Amino acid sequence: MDVQKIIDHFQLNDTVTEAEAFGSGHINDTIRVRFAGGTPDVVLQRLNTSIFPDPEGLMENAVHVTEFLRRKLQAEGGDAERGTLTFIPVKDGGWTYTDEENGVWRACYLIPDTMSYDLAENAEMFRSSGAAFGKFMADLSDFPAETLHEVIPDFHNTVKRFETFRRSLEADVKDRAASCRPEIDFVLTHEGLAHEIVDRIADGRLPLRVTHNDTKINNILMDKTTGESVCIVDLDTVMPGSALYDYGDSIRFGATHALEDETDLSKVDVDPELFRAYTEGYLSTTADRLTDEEKRCLLTGAMVITFETGMRFLTDYLDGDVYFKTARPEHNLDRARTQFKLVRDMEEKKELLEGIVQELC
Ligand code: GN1
Ligand code: MG
């Protein structure tokens, strides 16, 4: 791939000196680009267009959201340069460049002196990420939701995700079902969980908000020196959704000391202290906005999204690994197993975790 040729289509006029793979996303390809002539480093990404069929719509969302957040940051005297992403326009107009092989590219400036973590280094870092994701939602509370493109319809509709799982199980195109019976049974016996949030949204007990929808801690850039949250990234799935999925997704990914694809399940459990830290941080920026029902359902949100994510990994395993990037044959199955182990652990620690939520609310 000729990175210089791609870069030349963006409003950047400089010579590329280095291009290296960057980050740990499961969907898009990400490259960090350095330049000879003083242009700050750029993050270049090829979007996965089978998952994101409307990349220009996706980019309109991302640009609109970052501009909105930048204005808010400026108004409150924050660091607007580091606090939001700055996307780079394409010379011919728009925000994406399509190459000869139909690869769709977008670019933004890298935010200096920051890094992202796949696991929180300590409770303080996790608390700070909770405050940042909470603030993101709070800042977007007056964003015009009706202008957003729905990039992936029913993204966190757990009931539909369950139906998709069942279809994949029936088709069993790779003959893999026999090798993951315990995981399949886990999903089938937890069908009720799929309804917990979807049904409450449907009958109005829970509100829709503009949410991030992919609140893994590695989607926050942290200051390299202080460990403070600087900027929220990966705005690809910003859409109307439930606050509970955002809160829950952070807990699923970060309130444990194990990676999402850990194969030693004895290491996979929820650490109540990390759970407390995130909840504290999150409520510090959202407590005055969340409804009583949302507060009551926080732990449920964590259980539902963890179940949903495990079910998505297992569905992809049954489908033959066509959605998430994998690095080994049973990668998706390993990921599904960690998620179900976490759900089981949350069930076991339910009283303790509910107690923490109630104490903090
Ligand atoms: C995907 O690409 P990445 O790593 O930001 C996925 C999320 C999952 C996550 C699981 C568009 O996110 O929904 O929760 O993997 N993104 C999409 O790690 O499906
Ligand atoms: Mg993502």
Side-chain angles (χ1 to χ4, degrees), residues 226-251:
T226 65
E228 285 285 308
S229 298
V230 174
C231 181
I232 291 186
V233 300
D234 191 354
L235 306 171
D236 298 345
T237 48
V238 173
M239 281 179 289
S242 167
L244 299 173
Y245 290 124
D246 273 7
Y247 167 81
D249 206 19
S250 291
I251 296 295

Short mmCIF file of all heavy atoms in Angstrom, two decimals, residues 226-251:
data_model
loop_
_atom_site.label_atom_id
_atom_site.label_comp_id
_atom_site.label_asym_id
_atom_site.label_seq_id
_atom_site.Cartn_x
_atom_site.Cartn_y
_atom_site.Cartn_z
N THR A 226 0.25 12.41 33.14
CA THR A 226 -0.65 12.45 34.30
C THR A 226 -1.62 11.27 34.35
O THR A 226 -2.22 11.00 35.38
CB THR A 226 -1.49 13.74 34.29
OG1 THR A 226 -2.34 13.69 33.13
CG2 THR A 226 -0.61 14.98 34.22
N GLY A 227 -1.83 10.58 33.21
CA GLY A 227 -2.80 9.49 33.17
C GLY A 227 -4.24 10.00 33.10
O GLY A 227 -5.19 9.22 33.10
N GLU A 228 -4.43 11.32 33.02
CA GLU A 228 -5.78 11.90 32.95
C GLU A 228 -6.40 11.64 31.57
O GLU A 228 -5.70 11.63 30.56
CB GLU A 228 -5.70 13.43 33.12
CG GLU A 228 -5.45 13.89 34.53
CD GLU A 228 -6.68 13.78 35.39
OE1 GLU A 228 -7.74 14.29 34.98
OE2 GLU A 228 -6.57 13.17 36.47
N SER A 229 -7.72 11.50 31.52
CA SER A 229 -8.42 11.33 30.25
C SER A 229 -8.36 12.64 29.47
O SER A 229 -8.70 13.70 30.02
CB SER A 229 -9.87 10.97 30.49
OG SER A 229 -9.93 9.75 31.18
N VAL A 230 -7.93 12.59 28.23
CA VAL A 230 -7.79 13.81 27.42
C VAL A 230 -8.86 13.89 26.34
O VAL A 230 -9.52 14.92 26.17
CB VAL A 230 -6.38 13.86 26.76
CG1 VAL A 230 -6.28 15.04 25.80
CG2 VAL A 230 -5.30 13.93 27.83
N CYS A 231 -9.07 12.78 25.61
CA CYS A 231 -9.95 12.87 24.44
C CYS A 231 -10.62 11.53 24.16
O CYS A 231 -9.96 10.48 24.19
CB CYS A 231 -9.10 13.29 23.23
SG CYS A 231 -10.05 13.47 21.72
N ILE A 232 -11.89 11.59 23.87
CA ILE A 232 -12.62 10.37 23.50
C ILE A 232 -12.54 10.18 21.99
O ILE A 232 -12.77 11.12 21.22
CB ILE A 232 -14.08 10.47 23.98
CG1 ILE A 232 -14.03 10.40 25.51
CG2 ILE A 232 -14.94 9.37 23.38
CD1 ILE A 232 -15.31 10.34 26.20
N VAL A 233 -12.17 8.98 21.58
CA VAL A 233 -12.02 8.70 20.15
C VAL A 233 -13.00 7.61 19.72
O VAL A 233 -13.80 7.15 20.51
CB VAL A 233 -10.56 8.31 19.81
CG1 VAL A 233 -9.62 9.45 20.18
CG2 VAL A 233 -10.15 7.01 20.51
N ASP A 234 -12.87 7.22 18.45
CA ASP A 234 -13.75 6.20 17.85
C ASP A 234 -15.21 6.64 17.92
O ASP A 234 -16.02 6.08 18.67
CB ASP A 234 -13.55 4.83 18.51
CG ASP A 234 -14.25 3.74 17.71
OD1 ASP A 234 -14.97 4.08 16.75
OD2 ASP A 234 -14.09 2.56 18.04
N LEU A 235 -15.51 7.65 17.11
CA LEU A 235 -16.87 8.20 17.12
C LEU A 235 -17.75 7.52 16.07
O LEU A 235 -18.81 8.04 15.71
CB LEU A 235 -16.80 9.72 16.89
CG LEU A 235 -15.86 10.44 17.86
CD1 LEU A 235 -15.64 11.89 17.46
CD2 LEU A 235 -16.39 10.36 19.29
N ASP A 236 -17.32 6.35 15.59
CA ASP A 236 -18.01 5.69 14.47
C ASP A 236 -19.43 5.28 14.80
O ASP A 236 -20.27 5.18 13.92
CB ASP A 236 -17.23 4.45 14.03
CG ASP A 236 -15.84 4.79 13.53
OD1 ASP A 236 -15.60 5.99 13.25
OD2 ASP A 236 -15.01 3.88 13.41
N THR A 237 -19.68 4.99 16.07
CA THR A 237 -21.01 4.48 16.41
C THR A 237 -21.80 5.45 17.30
O THR A 237 -22.70 5.03 18.02
CB THR A 237 -20.89 3.10 17.10
OG1 THR A 237 -19.89 3.18 18.13
CG2 THR A 237 -20.49 2.03 16.10
N VAL A 238 -21.45 6.74 17.24
CA VAL A 238 -22.25 7.72 17.99
C VAL A 238 -23.65 7.75 17.37
O VAL A 238 -23.81 8.00 16.18
CB VAL A 238 -21.63 9.14 17.94
CG1 VAL A 238 -22.57 10.16 18.58
CG2 VAL A 238 -20.29 9.16 18.65
N MET A 239 -24.63 7.38 18.16
CA MET A 239 -26.02 7.27 17.68
C MET A 239 -26.94 7.40 18.89
O MET A 239 -26.47 7.29 20.01
CB MET A 239 -26.25 5.86 17.08
CG MET A 239 -25.73 5.64 15.69
SD MET A 239 -26.05 3.94 15.14
CE MET A 239 -24.93 2.96 16.13
N PRO A 240 -28.23 7.56 18.65
CA PRO A 240 -29.14 7.49 19.78
C PRO A 240 -29.08 6.10 20.41
O PRO A 240 -29.06 5.09 19.70
CB PRO A 240 -30.52 7.76 19.16
CG PRO A 240 -30.20 8.56 17.92
CD PRO A 240 -28.93 7.98 17.40
N GLY A 241 -28.99 6.05 21.72
CA GLY A 241 -28.89 4.77 22.42
C GLY A 241 -29.17 4.96 23.90
O GLY A 241 -29.56 6.04 24.32
N SER A 242 -28.93 3.92 24.68
CA SER A 242 -29.17 4.03 26.11
C SER A 242 -27.86 4.30 26.85
O SER A 242 -26.83 3.70 26.55
CB SER A 242 -29.77 2.72 26.62
OG SER A 242 -29.73 2.70 28.04
N ALA A 243 -27.94 5.18 27.85
CA ALA A 243 -26.78 5.47 28.70
C ALA A 243 -26.27 4.17 29.34
O ALA A 243 -25.08 4.02 29.62
CB ALA A 243 -27.19 6.44 29.81
N LEU A 244 -27.20 3.23 29.54
CA LEU A 244 -26.81 2.00 30.24
C LEU A 244 -25.86 1.15 29.43
O LEU A 244 -25.02 0.44 29.98
CB LEU A 244 -28.07 1.20 30.58
CG LEU A 244 -29.02 1.95 31.50
CD1 LEU A 244 -30.32 1.21 31.67
CD2 LEU A 244 -28.35 2.19 32.84
N TYR A 245 -25.97 1.20 28.11
CA TYR A 245 -25.02 0.45 27.28
C TYR A 245 -23.63 1.07 27.39
O TYR A 245 -22.63 0.37 27.42
CB TYR A 245 -25.47 0.42 25.82
CG TYR A 245 -26.70 -0.42 25.55
CD1 TYR A 245 -27.82 0.12 24.94
CD2 TYR A 245 -26.72 -1.77 25.88
CE1 TYR A 245 -28.94 -0.65 24.67
CE2 TYR A 245 -27.83 -2.55 25.62
CZ TYR A 245 -28.96 -2.00 25.01
OH TYR A 245 -30.05 -2.75 24.75
N ASP A 246 -23.58 2.39 27.41
CA ASP A 246 -22.27 3.05 27.52
C ASP A 246 -21.62 2.76 28.88
O ASP A 246 -20.46 2.36 28.96
CB ASP A 246 -22.40 4.57 27.34
CG ASP A 246 -22.34 4.98 25.87
OD1 ASP A 246 -22.33 4.08 25.00
OD2 ASP A 246 -22.28 6.20 25.58
N TYR A 247 -22.39 2.97 29.93
CA TYR A 247 -21.86 2.66 31.27
C TYR A 247 -21.44 1.19 31.31
O TYR A 247 -20.32 0.85 31.72
CB TYR A 247 -22.95 2.94 32.33
CG TYR A 247 -22.61 2.35 33.67
CD1 TYR A 247 -21.75 3.00 34.55
CD2 TYR A 247 -23.15 1.11 34.05
CE1 TYR A 247 -21.42 2.43 35.77
CE2 TYR A 247 -22.82 0.54 35.27
CZ TYR A 247 -21.96 1.20 36.13
OH TYR A 247 -21.63 0.63 37.33
N GLY A 248 -22.34 0.32 30.84
CA GLY A 248 -22.10 -1.12 30.95
C GLY A 248 -20.91 -1.59 30.13
O GLY A 248 -20.16 -2.46 30.55
N ASP A 249 -20.72 -1.00 28.96
CA ASP A 249 -19.64 -1.46 28.09
C ASP A 249 -18.28 -1.14 28.71
O ASP A 249 -17.32 -1.89 28.58
CB ASP A 249 -19.77 -0.81 26.70
CG ASP A 249 -19.13 -1.66 25.61
OD1 ASP A 249 -18.91 -2.87 25.83
OD2 ASP A 249 -18.84 -1.11 24.53
N SER A 250 -18.21 -0.02 29.40
CA SER A 250 -16.96 0.32 30.10
C SER A 250 -16.68 -0.69 31.22
O SER A 250 -15.55 -1.12 31.41
CB SER A 250 -17.03 1.71 30.71
OG SER A 250 -17.03 2.69 29.71
N ILE A 251 -17.72 -1.05 31.95
CA ILE A 251 -17.56 -2.03 33.03
C ILE A 251 -17.13 -3.38 32.46
O ILE A 251 -16.18 -4.01 32.93
CB ILE A 251 -18.90 -2.18 33.82
CG1 ILE A 251 -19.27 -0.86 34.51
CG2 ILE A 251 -18.82 -3.34 34.81
CD1 ILE A 251 -18.30 -0.41 35.59
#
